[in-house]
Amino acid sequence: GPPRLPKLFAGKTSMSETISSASRPSSSSHLFYWLPPLLWMGAIFLFSTDLFSVHSTGGLLALVLRWFSPEMSAARIEESQFYIRKAGHFTVYAILAALLMRAFRDTSAVRWRVRWAVSSLLIVGGYALLDEYHQAFTKFRTASPVDSLIDTCGGAAVIVVWWLWSLRGRAR
């Protein structure tokens, strides 16, 4: 029969098609970059259930705060819990933004693209709004547009840090 083409060239119509398909990241590579933000979004969904409400976790947090400062008043513990929870919002969405930036970057040698930053920020902001909407249907949580703003600010802060890091790389 006719000679068989090597598998690299099988089904390709031209050398440029072969080269371009060989330089594209594999689907397992995409999974490597996109699975972490998707899993983190799942974790955020879990965090916004009653399982992680003040009602469920407040006692443990109060215990930890009292361990550090036994004389802390109940009012001070309540205030501390409020700020710790808001810092948690900021941090959880900062992590999401970092994971999204990493996923958009994929295997690129380029450190920064405005498109990645805008896409990441839109996903963070949209997911923050969906998260608060979800909390409106839970028994012990409340939906707050302020929390969505804090979440989005956490994402924006990481994106700015990423941008500054990319500038540092260019200066070398």
Side-chain angles (χ1 to χ4, degrees):
R4 293 182 182 229
L5 293 171
K7 286 189 177 192
L8 177 65
F9 298 104
K12 306 294 184 212
T13 57
S14 70
M15 182 61 110
S16 65
E17 185 179 352
T18 300
I19 291 170
S20 69
S21 68
S23 64
R24 271 185 261 149
S26 68
S27 59
S28 64
S29 169
H30 289 308
L31 184 63
F32 175 77
Y33 290 101
W34 282 99
L35 190 58
L38 294 174
L39 289 174
W40 191 245
M41 291 168 91
I44 290 171
F45 183 84
L46 181 64
F47 297 154
S48 70
T49 64
D50 285 334
L51 188 62
F52 288 90
S53 69
V54 171
H55 179 77
S56 298
T57 61
L60 177 63
L61 194 51
L63 187 68
V64 171
L65 290 169
R66 283 225 164 93
W67 185 78
F68 282 108
S69 182
E71 72 283 349
M72 191 178 284
S73 69
R76 185 64 157 186
I77 286 175
E78 189 175 325
E79 179 184 15
S80 297
Q81 285 182 348
F82 174 82
Y83 288 115
I84 289 168
R85 288 185 168 283
K86 297 309 171 193
H89 273 270
F90 187 93
T91 304
V92 163
Y93 280 86
I95 292 168
L96 177 59
L99 292 172
L100 287 167
M101 287 293 290
R102 176 183 174 268
F104 281 116
R105 184 178 180 201
D106 202 56
T107 58
S108 175
V110 178
R111 289 183 177 205
W112 172 264
R113 292 258 191 257
V114 171
R115 179 181 64 224
W116 303 339
V118 170
S119 297
S120 295
L121 192 58
L122 287 173
I123 292 170
V124 164
Y127 201 69
L129 289 169
L130 285 173
D131 180 45
E132 293 303 316
Y133 180 72
H134 168 245
Q135 288 182 27
F137 297 100
T138 62
K139 184 176 181 180
F140 298 111
R141 309 286 308 240
T142 56
S144 166
V146 172
D147 284 350
S148 290
L149 182 61
I150 293 168
D151 300 339
T152 306
C153 286
V158 161
I159 291 168
V160 168
V161 168
W162 192 295
W163 174 66
L164 293 171
W165 170 74
S166 75
L167 293 177
R168 183 174 166 256
R170 290 183 198 158
R172 291 183 179 180

